Every structure is written in C-alpha cells, then in structure tokens.
Amino acid sequence: MQRLLIAALAAPALLCGFGGFAKPEKIALKTGAAAPACDRACLEGFVDRYLEAMAANDPSKVKLSPHVKLTENGAILKPGDGLWRTATGLGSYRFKFSDPQTHQAGAVATVLENGVEQLVGLRVKVENRAITEAEMIVARKGEGQTLVTDSLKA
C-alpha cells in the first residue's frame, strides 16, 4: 500500500518534468496561422480522448501527430502497440492534471487490461491540436509490486 501511495504521488512530478523526453521548453511561434492555444480544458480533453481511444484499441479516435513519440514503461511503441492492444476498458479512477504553459497534461488512472484493473500514469504533449508525445507507466498487478486498485474509486 505504501509503494502504491508513493507511486501515485510521485507520478505527476515524474511525468511532467523528470522522466523520459518530458523536458519543458519555450515554444517559438512559427510564421503563418498558428493553432489557437490549448487551455486546461483542451489539454485534459486530449487526455480523456487518448485513454478512451486506447480502451477502444483504436488510435484513430485521437489526433496524433504523424511523428508522435510513444513510450510505455520506457519502451518506444508505435500507435496501437502495448496497452493499446490489450486494453479492454477504463476503470473508474482518473486524476487529471495539466500545464498549459508547457502544452502538457496527464493522468493517473485505472485501465482494464484483459479484464484486470491496472494503474496507469500518462503524460501527453499537445502541439497544433495534436498529441506529439505520450508516455505511460503501467503498474500491472503481479509485476513485482503490491498493487491494490480496489480502493480507487472516482
């Protein structure tokens, strides 16, 4: 239980600045018509659509950049691989967070994988109204940790 609590509390910090390719940077506006800014509601909408598309095993249900970078537990994936292939639904728990200044948002959520509830930490980066980066940490039951998702309810 203590490991789960530490993981849940550390996930937002890890996902939004210390892990993988999540390095906040200043975004220079390109000449020409730029897409309107994506505020908190917009960013968190991308998180919701990403999770829903993953649960439906259909990457076409969320707008991904043609050059999107996807990782799951540090492994580089193509859209549709990993949990995208094995997800069977969404759990009832989802805690979302967003940072419009860095164009990033994320969630700690439960996802069903082959009918078993797993804990997922997700971070996405959105540019020009498309996801350009997405990284997930999936804590699966029975993989070296004590994972109790039964008490996580929305």
Side-chain angles (χ1 to χ4, degrees):
M1 183 67 169
Q2 183 179 8
R3 286 184 191 174
L4 175 62
L5 180 59
I6 291 170
L9 294 175
L14 291 172
L15 293 173
C16 283
F18 301 114
F21 42 78
K23 307 276 187 288
E25 57 192 53
K26 292 187 178 184
I27 306 298
L29 294 177
K30 297 178 183 178
T31 57
C38 196
D39 62 7
R40 286 187 189 280
C42 170
L43 290 167
E44 291 178 11
F46 272 98
V47 168
D48 288 334
R49 287 188 298 282
Y50 187 93
L51 290 169
E52 290 161 5
M54 186 178 58
N57 311 114
D58 187 356
S60 70
K61 291 189 174 190
V62 64
K63 187 167 182 190
L64 300 174
S65 164
H67 304 290
V68 66
K69 297 176 191 174
L70 300 176
T71 67
E72 181 180 309
N73 293 348
I76 297 171
L77 301 178
K78 293 179 183 176
D81 288 345
L83 188 58
W84 278 87
R85 190 170 295 181
T86 57
T88 53
L90 295 175
S92 62
Y93 182 80
R94 189 178 310 175
F95 175 79
K96 295 181 285 187
F97 46 92
S98 56
D99 183 359
Q101 288 184 315
T102 61
H103 311 274
Q104 298 181 81
V108 175
T110 52
V111 174
L112 300 177
E113 182 178 36
N114 299 318
V116 178
E117 200 167 40
Q118 313 293 8
L119 187 63
V120 173
L122 168 67
R123 179 198 64 89
V124 299
K125 184 169 186 174
V126 176
E127 293 178 346
N128 297 318
R129 301 287 174 143
I131 294 175
T132 58
E133 299 175 5
E135 59 182 327
M136 288 190 304
I137 303 296
V138 183
R140 291 177 170 92
K141 290 184 180 181
E143 288 189 352
Q145 76 280 336
T146 304
L147 180 59
V148 180
T149 58
D150 300 339
S151 62
L152 295 176
K153 303 295 176 209

